[in-house]
Amino acid sequence: MTSAPAGSRVLLPLALAQFICSFAGSNMNVMINDISEDLDTTVQGVQVAITVFLLVMAALMIPGGKLTDRYGRKRCFLAGLVTYGVGAVLSAAAPGLGVLILGNSILEGVGTALLIPPVYILTTLLFTETTSRARAFGVIMGLGGIGAAAGPLIGGLITWGLSWRAAFVFQALVIAGIVLLSRKIEDPLPPDPERPFDVRGAVLSAAGLILVVMGVLAADNNGWLMLGLIVGGALVLAWFFRSARAKERAGEEPLLSPSLFRNRTSNLGLITQNVQWLVLMGTSFVVATYLQVVRGYNAIETGVIFTAATLGLLASSLAAERLAARRPQRTLIMAGFLLTAAGIGVLLALVAGTPNPWAFTPGLLLIGLGLGVMLTPSVNIVQSSFPEHQQGEISGLSRSVSNLGSSLGTAVAGTILVSGLSQHAYAASMITVAAIAVLGLVAAALLPRSAAPKAKVEGAAR
């Protein structure tokens, strides 16, 4: 078991890594006007950059998790940090949208896909007791949620005080700090260079996810193109799963074992993860875009309004360990979705009746509280449902599902919004997000009352 002081030294760089990756997914939302004016592009162009970043993460997270077994968790973590840092520096110097997409969307996305699976695998392996592991996941998910919620505020402050380019310099500096702190991390398992890697599976899974999300993005331009991309993506993903089953039957190791999906508890937990991040990133993009494009607020004003969500998420994340000791994980996830859906309802009701910017505060506060309550239980349910030898696979799958939710949140809600930037489009986007949150609540209600079977938690700890 990891001792408390040693645990703190190991946990800090892992938690900061999740923070900066989540921050990167939302901080650009308050820079929409600044970036589009500076790079001579449009709101849709910036939306594509944000969505592609989230999509690259989702598409490569499963292969990234698998590579940790072959090359080692710490080595992949450091490689991801370096790749991310190069992308951040390139983004800061971008002369146009194309270079920004290369630096932010591609390199930062690839870096994130390499470094995030080791964060969750190392946490599971280093914190062997259920209580210490729950506490560690609480810190990591809390900082991840805060990074996503505080991204608009921090990004707004940096953009207002310096420029949007300085926000990427900030990311590069944080990455450099994480690299230094990571010297204390020791990989508990040796790498296995002979471990096979399913290249065809990696290509098929990535291509399928990319086609589906690109289809959503095409919705406001061409309905037939949207349908074709989504159907094509679904067919490629079906091909991927068929290939994985065939490999498994032949005694070979696929990229993702279909057996992972035979665990009902984990499946429901993955659905709740996907919906949580969809709601968080969808709300962040829609509200930030509306404030800047429709109401004309600058980056700092937009960021300050988002402080309510950050405070709510911070408060509930800090209470996560105490809540977990008193309430079942299923109850916490359900409560989180109820608070989040209520927050969206309050947001719509108050904003429609007044031009006062503080009308956003109560709804964003409730959304932050709800998300903070349920982020950690969802992750803990999924990770604790599998033994040690499957942590690489389930970690990659878990992060891929969460980041797919983030990219879908920006794509779905953003596409509805930018198709008609008006108060009506804003309301339609938020109603869509609320309806999806209700689906997450249904999935949470179907979780067993004892969400992570004790035998499997103990198996994961061995």
Side-chain angles (χ1 to χ4, degrees):
M1 175 183 169
T2 305
S3 63
S8 300
R9 289 196 298 271
V10 169
L11 187 57
L12 181 58
L14 299 179
L16 283 175
Q18 178 63 78
F19 167 83
I20 199 64
C21 292
S22 298
F23 168 85
S26 67
N27 85 110
M28 279 179 66
N29 290 339
V30 298
M31 307 173 190
I32 293 169
N33 281 346
D34 296 84
I35 293 175
S36 59
E37 290 173 8
D38 191 14
L39 300 185
D40 192 27
T41 185
T42 62
V43 172
Q44 288 91 333
V46 180
Q47 182 203 7
V48 168
I50 296 171
T51 304
V52 171
F53 166 68
L54 298 168
L55 179 56
V56 169
M57 285 196 294
L60 299 182
M61 203 67 73
I62 295 174
K66 203 70 172 179
L67 287 173
T68 61
D69 297 322
R70 187 183 179 104
Y71 298 109
R73 285 132 293 274
K74 183 176 180 179
R75 189 177 297 171
C76 286
F77 183 63
L78 291 174
L81 289 171
V82 172
T83 305
Y84 188 109
V86 171
V89 172
L90 187 62
S91 300
L97 182 63
V99 176
L100 180 66
I101 290 176
L102 173 62
N104 173 249
S105 308
I106 306 300
L107 290 179
E108 288 193 20
V110 171
T112 303
L114 282 173
L115 72 91
I116 286 298
V119 168
Y120 290 83
I121 299 168
L122 288 168
T123 301
T124 303
L125 297 178
L126 293 172
F127 296 86
T128 55
E129 288 187 356
T130 303
T131 303
S132 64
R133 183 183 297 165
R135 185 184 302 117
F137 277 134
V139 173
I140 291 171
M141 292 309 300
L143 273 181
I146 290 167
L153 175 61
I154 299 172
L157 285 169
I158 296 173
T159 302
W160 174 73
L162 297 169
S163 77
W164 65 268
R165 297 178 186 275
F168 288 102
V169 176
F170 167 75
Q171 292 180 46
L173 291 174
V174 173
I175 290 293
I178 297 171
V179 171
L180 292 175
L181 291 170
S182 299
R183 291 177 300 171
K184 302 291 184 182
I185 297 176
E186 293 185 9
D187 198 332
L189 295 175
D192 182 4
E194 302 302 317
R195 190 80 177 258
F197 182 76
D198 183 4
V199 176
R200 183 173 67 176
V203 172
L204 289 176
S205 64
L209 292 174
I210 289 170
L211 286 171
V212 169
V213 177
M214 293 306 291
V216 175
L217 285 173
D220 62 327
N221 293 321
N222 188 315
W224 287 109
L225 176 62
M226 174 198 73
L227 182 62
L229 288 171
I230 292 176
V231 171
L235 291 173
V236 172
L237 288 174
W239 183 9
F240 162 68
F241 282 109
R242 182 178 179 180
S243 172
R245 280 196 297 269
K247 274 184 170 290
E248 201 167 50
R249 290 194 191 107
E252 301 175 15
E253 185 175 345
L255 179 74
L256 185 69
S257 173
S259 64
L260 292 176
F261 295 99
R262 294 174 192 150
N263 187 312
R264 179 175 178 272
T265 298
S266 172
N267 289 344
L268 291 169
L270 289 170
I271 292 172
T272 64
Q273 283 186 35
N274 180 274
V275 174
Q276 288 162 13
W277 285 97
L278 188 155
V279 170
L280 176 56
M281 298 307 296
T283 299
S284 177
F285 182 82
V286 170
V287 174
T289 304
Y290 179 77
L291 288 171
Q292 293 170 88
V293 178
V294 177
R295 297 227 173 157
Y297 297 144
N298 61 27
I300 184 62
E301 291 168 332
T302 302
V304 167
I305 291 171
F306 270 95
T307 304
T310 306
L311 291 175
L313 206 150
L314 178 60
S316 52
S317 295
L318 290 174
E321 182 183 351
R322 196 161 57 251
L323 290 170
R326 298 177 181 177
R327 296 286 185 270
Q329 295 181 106
R330 170 179 176 270
T331 302
L332 294 177
I333 299 171
M334 290 179 66
F337 276 118
L338 286 170
L339 280 172
T340 302
I344 295 174
V346 170
L347 199 63
L348 286 168
L350 293 183
V351 171
T354 174
N356 191 326
W358 297 111
F360 288 85
T361 302
L364 289 174
L365 179 64
L366 284 173
I367 291 170
L369 285 169
L371 288 166
V373 165
M374 60 181 167
L375 284 174
T376 300
S378 289
V379 171
N380 206 22
I381 282 173
V382 173
Q383 294 289 147
S384 298
S385 294
F386 294 92
E388 186 177 284
H389 71 275
Q390 289 184 298
Q391 285 300 310
E393 281 185 294
I394 192 58
S395 179
L397 176 61
S398 173
R399 296 303 88 212
S400 179
V401 165
S402 294
N403 283 293
L404 179 61
S406 296
S407 57
L408 285 173
T410 304
V412 173
T415 297
I416 296 171
L417 183 69
V418 299
S419 64
L421 286 170
S422 65
Q423 187 157 334
H424 180 71
Y426 161 78
S429 300
M430 295 307 298
I431 289 170
T432 301
V433 171
I436 295 172
V438 172
L439 294 178
L441 174 62
V442 173
L446 294 174
L447 284 166
R449 294 187 182 276
S450 177
K454 186 176 181 182
K456 288 188 177 179
V457 175
E458 290 172 350
R462 284 196 293 269

